Every structure is written in structure tokens, then in C-alpha cells.
Amino acid sequence: MKPRFITFEGLDGSGKSTHMRRAADWCRQRGVSVLETHEPGGTALGQAIREVFLDRRWGALDGRVEALLVFASRRQHLLEVIDPALARGSTVFCDRFTDSTIAYQGYARGVPFSVLEKADELATGRRVPDHTLLFDLPPEEARRRGQSQERTKTGSVDRLDAEELDFYEDVRRGYLELSRRDPERFSVIDSTGSLEETERQTLTVLGVLLRSAGEEA
């Protein structure tokens, strides 16, 4: 399979991270070399930025501050992880990329898109994934999952998980608008159903990608 850069996007709680792991295992069983990674993070520097970015101690951050943090992590991620993996012939599955920044910091925080475009040009050269799976979930359900009793007890509710419902609504609106603008790149996955139902949709999309690359799905 020609190495591809495939991203998994969606609200926190949408199941994108779980399904990325399961999809990577499914692809490996079919002889496809897959590297799994995530943003912000993916490198030692990126992980340090991620911890600052999500820490509730800082309270509300300006949207431009958030964008600068994630683009700094993204630049290092491309240089250190993503591009080298693609050059070695591996397909890269990435949990979040620039679409997240546009949805969260653009649509939800109100950072002008022209500002995000300039930062993206500097950090990535306006890099666009080969394909994006968008895991769509109603904001109410995503927020419920993000602030579940279990997560609250373990102290794993981060700064973005704690946002109000209107923030989740704005992020979802941004994601859906991005998918409408680029329907060839995006596959929208309905993640309101069971784990098995969502996985079935995910693997159907990946099966098409494998067949289009001349691989047996």
C-alpha cells in the first residue's frame, strides 16, 4: 500500500482514539505497516506541550495561545515522526491534526481563519492529510462522555473536557463544515451507536482505501 497520512478527528468522547487503535491492528493483520501517533504530542517536546495545553490549572487560555502551542507541537511532530515514517513506507494514523485546530480554535474560540492559515503555513506548509475520518457525535453525548463519573473520579477531566455545551456545539459545527467543504477527503462516521457499529463503518472506509491502493481488504 502506498504510504498514506490518515487522520482521525472528532469531539473528545467520540471514540476516534479507540477506533484508530482497532483500525491500525486490522490493517496490520492485512500486511499494512501502520504507525499510530497523536496530537498534541507524538514527540517528547509535543507531550510536554500537551501537558501544558490540557492542564486545568491555567484556566481559560486565549485561542491564539492555544493555536500557537498546538502548531509548535505539530511542527516537531512532522519533522520527528510523521514524515520519517512515511519516507520509510509506513502509513501514518494520527489522532488529530490541523482540522482540530480549525474546529477548536477557529470555530469555537473565534481565532480568525486567516491567522490560523498563516500559522499553518509556517508550521506545516499547509499540509493536508490524504484522508480524514470524522467521528461525529452530538455535543451533549460527547460532553457527557468527557465528564463521565469515572473520569471525574480519576481526575482525568482536562481543560477542554470541562468546557460548556456551547463550546462543544461550535466545535462540531466546525468539523461538519470542514467535511462539507472537502467531501473527497472526509469520511463522516456516525459514532452514536455501539462500538461494533462504529467499527464496522470505520473498517468499511479503510477497506475502500486499501482496495484503491491495490491491496487486498
Side-chain angles (χ1 to χ4, degrees), residues 8-25:
F8 290 66
E9 294 280 2
L11 289 166
D12 287 317
S14 64
K16 61 180 175 50
S17 303
T18 296
H19 287 289
M20 188 183 84
R21 291 192 296 270
R22 295 169 75 101
D25 289 341

Side-chain angles (χ1 to χ4, degrees), residues 6-136:
I6 299 174
T7 54
F8 290 66
E9 294 280 2
L11 289 166
D12 287 317
S14 64
K16 61 180 175 50
S17 303
T18 296
H19 287 289
M20 188 183 84
R21 291 192 296 270
R22 295 169 75 101
D25 289 341
W26 182 84
C27 286
R28 291 186 187 110
Q29 290 169 11
R30 284 151 180 79
V32 180
S33 174
V34 176
L35 172 76
E36 300 169 64
T37 190
H38 65 275
E39 292 204 346
T43 67
L45 175 62
Q47 187 59 36
I49 292 173
R50 179 186 182 87
E51 291 170 5
V52 170
F53 181 81
L54 294 176
D55 197 326
R56 296 181 68 178
R57 288 182 298 168
W58 316 129
L61 294 181
D62 176 78
R64 297 192 190 206
V65 172
E66 290 183 342
L68 289 169
L69 287 170
V70 295
F71 273 121
S73 172
R74 187 163 298 137
R75 176 65 179 171
Q76 189 65 24
H77 197 196
L78 277 171
L79 293 174
E80 189 176 330
V81 176
I82 296 173
D83 283 341
L86 292 169
R88 292 193 303 268
S90 292
T91 283
V92 174
F93 282 2
C94 189
D95 184 343
R96 298 200 182 285
F97 198 64
T98 302
D99 292 312
S100 280
T101 310
I102 296 171
Y104 279 81
Q105 282 69 51
Y107 282 91
R109 294 286 193 229
V111 178
F113 298 122
S114 59
V115 171
L116 296 178
E117 288 170 0
K118 290 177 183 176
D120 187 29
E121 176 65 37
L122 180 63
T124 78
R126 303 299 301 276
R127 183 70 165 275
V128 177
D130 295 309
H131 201 79
T132 298
L133 282 73
L134 172 59
F135 291 80
D136 184 44

